[in-house]
C-alpha cells in the first residue's frame, strides 16, 4: 500500500486515507478482540480507507458523532446494503420468492424516514414498555429457575436467558406468534449474515431462502391485521393507516421486517454482554449484587465498553471531509462506535470497565441523531430486569473461560456465541 | 437575543444567550449545561432532556406534540404539569425562558 500512498500524494505516516499493508491490525469481520486495532486506528489513522470492504473507517468519537449528526451529507441509504455483493443464486431465490423489502427505517432518508418514524414511534412508547414489564420479569424468572434447577450447576446465559427473553417481548409487541422464537432467530441470523457477513455466493443460498420466508411472514402479519385487527403494534399501524396516516402496507411490513430483527438480536447480545462483562470484572458484579440501584449505570457502561453493534455505515452524498481527510461523493463510510466509545479524548481511562463512570451514557452504541435506536429504552429495560433477577437469585454466578469466548464473524454485530457460567447455589 | 435561565435541582442558576431557532436542548448541550443529557440528539427517543418550565413562561411556548407527551412518561424524574422535553422547545426572538432541570435525567 505504500506505493499507493506515494501515488496519492499522502503522508505514509498515516494522515492520508490509504491503508498500510497491516491495516493497523484491523480485521473487518473479526470480533474476538478488535479493541487494540481500534486504538491503533484512532491514534495512527483516524480515517482509513479499507480497500478490503470499500469503506472509509472512522474511529474517533467526535468524528463518528459528527457524521451521525450530519444526515444531509452522510446518508444512511447504505446501512442495510450487503457488504458482500449478493450472488446470482441468492438473487434468483429472492426475486423468485417475492422478496421486495430493503429497510424499515434505518436505511431510509428524510422526508420518507421522518414520516414513517413518526408513525412507528407512536406505537413504541415508554408507557407501552412499562405495561410489558411484569410479563418480561415473569419470563426472566422462569428462565432463571429452569437454568438454576439444572443439576450440573452450569448454564449458558446466551441460550438459557438472553436468546428468548427479548424475542418473546418483540413478538408480543408486534402480535407475532410467540411460539416461533426459533424461527425468528433463524431468520434474524440469516439477515445479519446476508447483510453484514463475509459470505461466498454458495454460502448465501440457505440464508436467501430464510429471508424469503421472513419477508412473506411480515406481509402475512399485515394482511392478518387488516382482516382481524388486534391489540398490538401491527394492528395499531394498520388502524393508523385506515385513519389517514400516510403509510403503505409495504412500508408497515418493512417496518416489521426491521423490528422483528432489531427488536431482539441486539438485546440478546446486550443481556449476554452484561453478564459476560460484569462477571469478568468480579468487583463490578459484587457491587451490583449488593446495590441493585447501580444496575442501570452498569448497563450504560456495558453499552460503552462492549456494545452490541460496533460499526455502522453511511454514504457521502457530496465531496466532503472527515477529520481533514477528503471523502469523495458516493464514498461509503464505516463508523466504528466500538472505537469511538474508547476514545481517550472523551472517556477518561477508556480501556477500564468502570460502572461508576460519570459519562458512560455518552457512548454511541445506539447511534446519534435522527436514526437513534428507537428501542433503546426497551433494550435497557430488559437488560435491567435480567440483571436484577440474576444478581438476586444467583449471586454466586461465575464465568467459565471468559477469555475463550468466540464471537460471530460480522462487520457490525459483535455477538458472543455463548457465555458459559456456573454457580454454587441459587437463592430460592 | 433570546435567553434561557437553567436552574438546577439544588437551586443554582446559569443564564445563557441562545441563538434564535436553536432548541433549548441544543443551547444547553453547547454551553455545558450537564443537567441536560440529550442522549439521542433530539429525535424524541430518550427523554433525557427533561425540563420543568416556569409557570409564567408556559403560555409563551408552542403546544406539546403527541410524541413529546408520550416520551414524557419515560423520564427519570416523574413528569409534572409543567414538564417539557427541551429538544422540542425552539427559541424565538427576544424570548426570556426560565426552566428548572430535574435532579437526574437517567
Amino acid at each position: 500500500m505504500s506505493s499507493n500512498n506515494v501515488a496519492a500524494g499522502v503522508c505514509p505516516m498515516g494522515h492520508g486515507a490509504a491503508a498500510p499493508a497491516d491495516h493497523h491490525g484491523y480485521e473487518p469481520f473479526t470480533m474476538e478482540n478488535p479493541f487494540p486495532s481500534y486504538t491503533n486506528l484512532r491514534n495512527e489513522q483516524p480515517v482509513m480507507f479499507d480497500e478490503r470492504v470499500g469503506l472509509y473507517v472512522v474511529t474517533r468519537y467526535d468524528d463518528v458523532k459528527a457524521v451521525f449528526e450530519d444526515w444531509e451529507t452522510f446518508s444512511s441509504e447504505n446501512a442495510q446494503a450487503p457488504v458482500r455483493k449478493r450472488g446470482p443464486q441468492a438473487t434468483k431465490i429472492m426475486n423468485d420468492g417475492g422478496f421486495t423489502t430493503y429497510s424499515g427505517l434505518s436505511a431510509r432518508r428524510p422526508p420518507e424516514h421522518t414520516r414513517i418514524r413518526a408513525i412507528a414511534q407512536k406505537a413504541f412508547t415508554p408507557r407501552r414498555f412499562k405495561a410489558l414489564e411484569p410479563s418480561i420479569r415473569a419470563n426472566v424468572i422462569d428462565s432463571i429457575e429452569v437454568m438454576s434447577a439444572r443439576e450440573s450447576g452450569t448454564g449458558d446465559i446466551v441460550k438459557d436467558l438472553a436468546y428468548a427473553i427479548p424475542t418473546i417481548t418483540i413478538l408480543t409487541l408486534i402480535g407475532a406468534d410467540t411460539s416461533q422464537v426459533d424461527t425468528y432467530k433463524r431468520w434474524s441470523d440469516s439477515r445479519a449474515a446476508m447483510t453484514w457477513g463475509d459470505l461466498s455466493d454458495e454460502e448465501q443460498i440457505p440464508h436467501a431462502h430464510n429471508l424469503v420466508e421472513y419477508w412473506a411472514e411480515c406481509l402475512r402479519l399485515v394482511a392478518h391485521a387488516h382482516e382481524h385487527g388486534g391489540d398490538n403494534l401491527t394492528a395499531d399501524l394498520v388502524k393508523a393507516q385506515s385513519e389517514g396516516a400516510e403509510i403503505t402496507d409495504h412500508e408497515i411490513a418493512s417496518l416489521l421486517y426491521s423490528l422483528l430483527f432489531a427488536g431482539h438480536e441486539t438485546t440478546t447480545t446486550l443481556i449476554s454482554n452484561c453478564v459476560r462483562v460484569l462477571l469478568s470484572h468480579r468487583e463490578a458484579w459484587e457491587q451490583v449484587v449488593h446495590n441493585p440501584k447501580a444496575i442501570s449505570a452498569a448497563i450504560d457502561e456495558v453499552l460503552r465498553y462492549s456494545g452490541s453493534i460496533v460499526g455502522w455505515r453511511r454514504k457521502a452524498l457530496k465531496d466532503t471531509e472527515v477529520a481533514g481527510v477528503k471523502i469523495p461523493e458516493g464514498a461509503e463510510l464505516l463508523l466504528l462506535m466500538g472505537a469511538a466509545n474508547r476514545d481517550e479524548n472523551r472517556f477518561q481511562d477508556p480501556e477500564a470497565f468502570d460502572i461508576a463512570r460519570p459519562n458512560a451514557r455518552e457512548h454511541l452504541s445506539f447511534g446519534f441523531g435522527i436514526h437513534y435506536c428507537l428501542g433503546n429504552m426497551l433494550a435497557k429495560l430488559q437488560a435491567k430486569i435480567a440483571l436484577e433477577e440474576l444478581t438476586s437469585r444467583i449471586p454466586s454466578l461465575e464465568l467459565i473461560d471468559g477469555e475463550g469466548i468466540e464471537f460471530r464473524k460480522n462487520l457490525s454485530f459483535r455477538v458472543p456465541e455463548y457465555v458459559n457460567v456456573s454457580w454454587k447455589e441459587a437463592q430460592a | 437575543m433570546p435567553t434561557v435561565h437553567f436552574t438546577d435541582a439544588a437551586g443554582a442558576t446559569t443564564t445563557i444567550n441562545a441563538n434564535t431557532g436553536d432548541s433549548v436542548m441544543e443551547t444547553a448541550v453547547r454551553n455545558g449545561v450537564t443537567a441536560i443529557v440529550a442522549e439521542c440528539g433530539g429525535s424524541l427517543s430518550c427523554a433525557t432532556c427533561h425540563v420543568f418550565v416556569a409557570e409564567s413562561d408556559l403560555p409563551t411556548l408552542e403546544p406539546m406534540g403527541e410524541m413529546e407527551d408520550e416520551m414524557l412518561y419515560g423520564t427519570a424524574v416523574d413528569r409534572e404539569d409543567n414538564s417539557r422535553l427541551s429538544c422540542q422547545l425552539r427559541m424565538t426572538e427576544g424570548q426570556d425562558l426560565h426552566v428548572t432541570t430535574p435532579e437526574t435525567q437517567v
Side-chain angles (χ1 to χ4, degrees):
Chain A
M1 281 290 118
S2 59
S3 60
N4 279 0
N5 283 342
V6 173
V10 297
C11 171
M13 294 310 286
H15 297 299
D22 71 352
H23 298 87
H24 308 277
Y26 177 63
E27 290 297 331
F29 298 96
T30 304
M31 286 291 173
E32 263 69 23
N33 182 12
F35 300 105
S37 70
Y38 290 171
T39 303
N40 295 341
L41 284 167
R42 279 193 316 269
N43 292 336
E44 295 161 17
Q45 197 175 18
V47 180
M48 172 187 82
F49 183 72
D50 192 326
E51 77 292 344
R52 298 167 298 180
V53 282
L55 297 164
Y56 285 81
V57 179
V58 182
T59 41
R60 286 188 183 163
Y61 183 94
D62 289 347
D63 298 332
V64 170
K65 190 166 178 175
V67 172
F68 270 133
E69 193 160 25
D70 184 3
W71 54 267
E72 284 166 294
T73 304
F74 299 102
S75 159
S76 70
E77 66 196 65
N78 63 338
Q80 299 288 336
V83 180
R84 294 294 180 224
K85 198 173 177 309
R86 197 171 287 157
Q89 304 97 318
T91 302
K92 181 170 190 327
I93 291 162
M94 293 168 79
N95 288 343
D96 291 352
F99 182 90
T100 56
T101 190
Y102 173 58
S103 166
L105 278 172
S106 68
R108 291 191 194 268
R109 294 169 50 204
E112 182 186 70
H113 170 266
T114 316
R115 167 175 62 81
I116 298 174
R117 181 157 170 135
I119 295 166
Q121 220 166 9
K122 280 179 193 162
F124 222 68
T125 62
R127 280 201 288 186
R128 198 171 271 242
F129 302 157
K130 279 179 188 166
L132 282 171
E133 182 167 345
S135 65
I136 296 170
R137 194 173 295 278
N139 288 337
V140 166
I141 292 170
D142 279 353
S143 296
I144 294 173
E145 282 179 349
V146 168
M147 182 179 85
S148 60
R150 206 174 284 143
E151 279 183 23
S152 66
T154 60
D156 170 8
I157 292 298
V158 178
K159 205 193 297 171
D160 291 329
L161 182 66
Y163 176 87
I165 298 300
T167 319
I168 292 170
T169 303
I170 196 72
L171 294 178
T172 305
L173 260 173
I174 283 177
D177 183 352
T178 54
S179 72
Q180 295 300 309
V181 167
D182 289 340
T183 305
Y184 280 97
K185 282 295 192 191
R186 173 165 55 84
W187 292 342
S188 295
D189 286 349
S190 286
R191 180 160 178 193
M194 278 293 266
T195 306
W196 298 278
D198 188 17
L199 303 180
S200 67
D201 290 355
E202 283 294 316
E203 287 168 331
Q204 292 175 14
I205 293 171
H207 299 300
H209 285 293
N210 281 336
L211 292 190
V212 166
E213 279 181 30
Y214 178 19
W215 173 239
E217 181 60 12
C218 294
L219 291 170
R220 194 197 65 77
L221 285 167
V222 177
H224 184 272
H226 271 296
E227 228 171 282
H228 304 283
D231 180 18
N232 56 59
L233 194 146
T234 311
D236 286 356
L237 291 168
V238 163
K239 184 158 172 280
Q241 181 200 60
S242 71
E243 290 168 358
E246 201 191 326
I247 188 165
T248 66
D249 281 356
H250 194 280
E251 286 166 346
I252 296 174
S254 295
L255 202 52
L256 301 188
Y257 180 76
S258 281
L259 297 177
L260 286 165
F261 167 68
H264 58 87
E265 160 67 30
T266 45
T267 308
T268 290
T269 307
L270 174 61
I271 293 170
S272 305
N273 280 338
C274 280
V275 177
R276 179 179 65 84
V277 176
L278 282 168
L279 287 179
S280 56
H281 298 83
R282 190 76 208 177
E283 68 295 341
W285 173 264
E286 297 296 340
Q287 276 178 43
V288 295
V289 165
H290 295 295
N291 178 20
K293 282 190 174 156
I295 287 174
S296 292
I299 293 168
D300 285 318
E301 177 66 349
V302 171
L303 282 161
R304 182 196 73 86
Y305 185 82
S306 190
S308 301
I309 300 181
V310 292
W312 206 242
R313 288 171 293 163
R314 287 292 186 260
K315 183 175 179 177
L317 295 186
K318 59 181 186 201
D319 288 346
T320 183
E321 284 189 1
V322 175
V325 173
K326 286 192 166 37
I327 309 285
E329 178 183 343
E332 301 194 45
L333 299 85
L334 178 66
L335 310 178
L336 285 180
M337 300 95 87
N341 287 345
R342 296 192 184 199
D343 187 335
E344 63 184 359
N345 291 314
R346 174 65 51 166
F347 301 102
Q348 211 179 358
D349 195 7
E351 300 297 329
F353 177 73
D354 175 8
I355 64 171
R357 184 181 293 281
N359 67 338
R361 278 181 82 120
E362 291 180 23
H363 69 73
L364 297 173
S365 295
F366 290 128
F368 188 76
I370 63 170
H371 293 281
Y372 189 84
C373 175
L374 193 59
N376 73 91
M377 286 182 160
L378 182 58
K380 288 193 282 196
L381 174 67
Q382 297 189 87
K384 178 168 163 273
I385 294 170
L387 280 181
E388 282 171 355
E389 297 302 330
L390 212 47
T391 51
S392 62
R393 286 161 196 273
I394 321 183
S396 69
L397 206 63
E398 277 183 32
L399 196 57
I400 302 173
D401 187 22
E403 294 293 306
I405 293 174
E406 291 166 36
F407 290 76
R408 203 165 290 181
K409 277 200 147 1
N410 198 279
L411 180 77
S412 290
F413 293 75
R414 186 163 178 265
V415 180
E417 297 278 14
Y418 48 83
V419 175
N420 291 328
V421 290
S422 64
W423 55 88
K424 291 187 191 80
E425 184 177 318
Q427 316 269 310
Chain B
M1 185 177 266
T3 309
V4 197
H5 309 271
F6 292 95
T7 301
D8 66 23
T13 299
T14 310
T15 297
I16 291 169
N17 294 324
N19 300 315
T20 303
D22 281 1
S23 72
V24 172
M25 177 277 279
E26 288 163 335
T27 305
V29 169
R30 285 184 196 145
N31 291 284
V33 177
T34 54
I36 302 292
V37 174
E39 257 177 12
C40 79
S43 61
L44 274 176
S45 307
C46 71
T48 62
C49 66
H50 181 199
V51 294
F52 302 105
V53 177
E55 293 292 339
S56 55
D57 290 343
L58 279 174
T60 69
L61 302 177
E62 289 287 313
M64 186 186 303
E66 187 184 343
M67 198 57 217
E68 181 186 347
D69 189 25
E70 280 295 342
M71 289 308 291
L72 278 167
Y73 289 100
T75 54
V77 170
D78 284 348
R79 68 184 293 175
E80 291 175 20
D81 291 343
N82 60 339
S83 284
R84 295 295 303 259
L85 291 180
S86 59
C87 67
Q88 301 302 303
L89 306 176
R90 295 267 158 210
M91 297 305 295
T92 56
E93 193 53 48
Q95 190 177 13
D96 189 45
L97 185 65
H98 300 76
V99 302
T100 301
T101 50
E103 193 183 343
T104 177
Q105 298 281 4
V106 301

